[in-house]
Amino acid sequence: MPQPVDFYFDFSSPYGYFAAAKIDALAAKYDRTTTWRPILLGAVFKITGQQPLPTIPMKGGYALHDLNRSARWFKIPFRMPGKFPISSTAPSRAYYWLQDRDPVAAKTLALALYSAYFSEDQDISSPDITADIAAKLGHGRDAVLQAINDPVIKERLKTEVDAAIERGVFGSPYIVVDGEPFWGSDRLDQVEQWLAKGKW
Amino acid sequence: MPQPVDFYFDFSSPYGYFAAAKIDALAAKYDRTTTWRPILLGAVFKITGQQPLPTIPMKGGYALHDLNRSARWFKIPFRMPGKFPISSTAPSRAYYWLQDRDPVAAKTLALALYSAYFSEDQDISSPDITADIAAKLGHGRDAVLQAINDPVIKERLKTEVDAAIERGVFGSPYIVVDGEPFWGSDRLDQVEQWLAKGKW
């Protein structure tokens, strides 16, 4: 039985959003499952000294252009949110809370949260908005809000982020196939080749 | 008559090296010519505050892995040079000197310089090594050395770099098709689509 493909992403990462829309179908094509692992890039950037894309002179303007064009390329609805980047703590905690209960539902929630942020400009950094989105999918609104403030879930997210950093995850999306790391939605073609044939 | 495709690159940029190996054949497939424009990323990084990839914590180790894997992906010989990054002033000046005399020969020289650096670990930041490589292609060794120290050529390179920055070029490779900018060797598939059908 092959290992699941590890899919690391930050809820505030637009390229992570693109990859999230593609990764499960891509893995399934090669009879592989995935494990989704939301992380907090802010904690990573403290180590790498990187800055959020839009704040980098010259690169920021191109990035916005590239995001819109890449969204059309992937045929994914996209509208740059008014507030960017945002803290992804609330949606990440909601994700891990649900993952322990129902991993499939957790992915559905992740896609709904991503979509709300990157195509409807909803500020999912707000626990209330994250809980509203979860409630629409049939999850208890109060249970989600409680989970976001639960010390156990807080610690769980921290542990996941630390483990990701320990593994070398420095960006989003970051995909690991049988130990082989791929960074960026522009590596999905190489991910596919690796799934199909292994090392080239 | 369509405009040539503008191909900006830095002689010290491995992803620029990959794109250099591909861009002319790609453009020719759609009956397009190219104009090659070596730049100095050092001048750009002063504005954007970016650091050379290998010096970034976590990202640096991945970058080396990605470079080797992407070289195999593109089927391009590659060996990470012992000294990296290097100043690309000498090869860039030699390029512009020759471009004014013979644009086709200048591209051949650029490919030879890139190949010497990224597959044979020759330090092309040295005017002597750049001149040696040009001499092997039939250009006068002394004429190349003289060009590298020629105030007119120095100014020419400076003007090209300033114009590139003015245009928003912040990385290598950076490809402009009919005003549409693409950054990175991982955008070659989008460049091809743009050449084939224009905006999507």
Side-chain angles (χ1 to χ4, degrees):
Chain A
M1 194 64 186
Q3 291 284 312
V5 172
D6 277 320
F7 171 54
Y8 295 90
F9 63 98
D10 183 305
F11 276 109
S12 188
S13 157
Y15 294 108
Y17 164 62
F18 297 160
K22 301 290 178 186
I23 190 66
D24 273 29
L26 183 56
K29 206 171 150 185
Y30 301 95
D31 298 319
R32 299 289 290 264
T33 59
T34 62
T35 302
W36 289 26
R37 300 181 183 279
I39 56 164
L40 306 177
L41 273 187
V44 179
F45 283 9
K46 274 184 197 156
I47 297 172
T48 59
Q50 289 167 280
Q51 297 292 326
L53 267 178
T55 66
I56 301 173
M58 297 173 76
K59 210 169 172 176
Y62 172 84
L64 181 57
H65 188 78
D66 182 66
L67 283 168
N68 281 293
R69 186 175 59 201
S70 291
R72 300 195 307 271
W73 173 260
F74 286 123
K75 302 190 196 311
I76 295 171
F78 177 76
R79 188 174 54 169
M80 194 64 196
K83 192 177 158 195
F84 179 86
I86 53 168
S87 160
S88 40
T89 304
S92 299
R93 287 184 190 155
Y95 179 87
Y96 283 114
W97 167 78
L98 190 53
Q99 192 189 45
D100 291 343
R101 283 151 187 79
D102 184 340
V104 174
K107 287 184 187 176
T108 304
L109 174 61
L111 288 169
L113 289 163
Y114 250 154
S115 175
Y117 182 47
F118 282 116
S119 79
E120 295 160 30
D121 200 2
Q122 291 186 53
D123 180 1
I124 59 171
S125 69
S126 149
D128 279 322
I129 290 176
T130 282
D132 285 345
I133 292 164
K136 274 186 209 157
L137 294 170
H139 307 294
R141 191 176 188 286
D142 289 344
V144 175
L145 284 173
Q146 208 175 322
I148 290 171
N149 286 308
D150 183 338
V152 175
I153 300 292
K154 287 182 183 181
E155 190 57 33
R156 168 71 185 282
L157 175 58
K158 198 180 167 308
T159 304
E160 290 279 351
V161 173
D162 288 347
I165 290 171
E166 182 67 28
R167 198 177 186 179
V169 177
F170 61 83
S172 165
Y174 193 97
I175 296 161
V176 184
V177 184
D178 303 329
E180 185 73 10
F182 298 88
W183 169 52
S185 60
D186 28 36
R187 287 292 176 277
L188 286 172
D189 46 1
Q190 292 194 16
V191 167
E192 172 149 21
Q193 175 86 345
W194 203 275
L195 285 167
K197 300 180 182 178
K199 186 172 179 175
W200 55 84
Chain B
M1 192 65 187
Q3 292 283 312
V5 172
D6 278 320
F7 171 54
Y8 295 90
F9 63 99
D10 184 304
F11 276 109
S12 187
S13 156
Y15 294 107
Y17 164 61
F18 298 159
K22 300 290 178 185
I23 190 67
D24 273 28
L26 183 57
K29 204 170 151 185
Y30 301 95
D31 297 320
R32 298 290 289 266
T33 59
T34 62
T35 302
W36 288 26
R37 301 181 184 277
I39 56 164
L40 305 177
L41 273 188
V44 179
F45 283 9
K46 276 185 197 156
I47 296 170
T48 59
Q50 289 166 282
Q51 298 293 328
L53 267 180
T55 66
I56 301 172
M58 298 173 75
K59 211 169 170 175
Y62 172 84
L64 181 58
H65 188 78
D66 183 66
L67 283 168
N68 281 293
R69 186 176 59 201
S70 290
R72 301 194 307 270
W73 174 260
F74 286 124
K75 301 188 197 311
I76 295 171
F78 177 76
R79 188 174 53 169
M80 194 64 197
K83 193 176 158 194
F84 178 88
I86 53 168
S87 160
S88 41
T89 304
S92 299
R93 287 184 191 156
Y95 179 88
Y96 283 115
W97 168 76
L98 189 54
Q99 190 188 47
D100 291 342
R101 282 149 189 80
D102 184 341
V104 174
K107 285 184 189 177
T108 304
L109 174 62
L111 288 170
L113 289 164
Y114 250 154
S115 176
Y117 182 47
F118 282 116
S119 79
E120 294 160 30
D121 201 2
Q122 291 186 52
D123 180 2
I124 60 171
S125 70
S126 149
D128 279 322
I129 289 176
T130 282
D132 285 345
I133 292 164
K136 274 187 208 157
L137 295 170
H139 308 295
R141 192 177 186 286
D142 289 346
V144 175
L145 284 173
Q146 207 175 321
I148 290 171
N149 286 308
D150 183 340
V152 175
I153 299 294
K154 287 182 182 181
E155 190 57 32
R156 169 69 187 284
L157 175 57
K158 199 181 165 308
T159 304
E160 290 279 351
V161 172
D162 288 347
I165 290 171
E166 182 67 29
R167 198 178 188 181
V169 177
F170 61 83
S172 165
Y174 192 97
I175 296 161
V176 184
V177 183
D178 304 329
E180 184 74 9
F182 297 89
W183 169 51
S185 60
D186 30 34
R187 286 292 176 277
L188 286 172
D189 47 359
Q190 293 195 16
V191 167
E192 172 149 21
Q193 174 86 347
W194 204 276
L195 286 166
K197 300 182 181 176
K199 186 173 179 174
W200 56 85

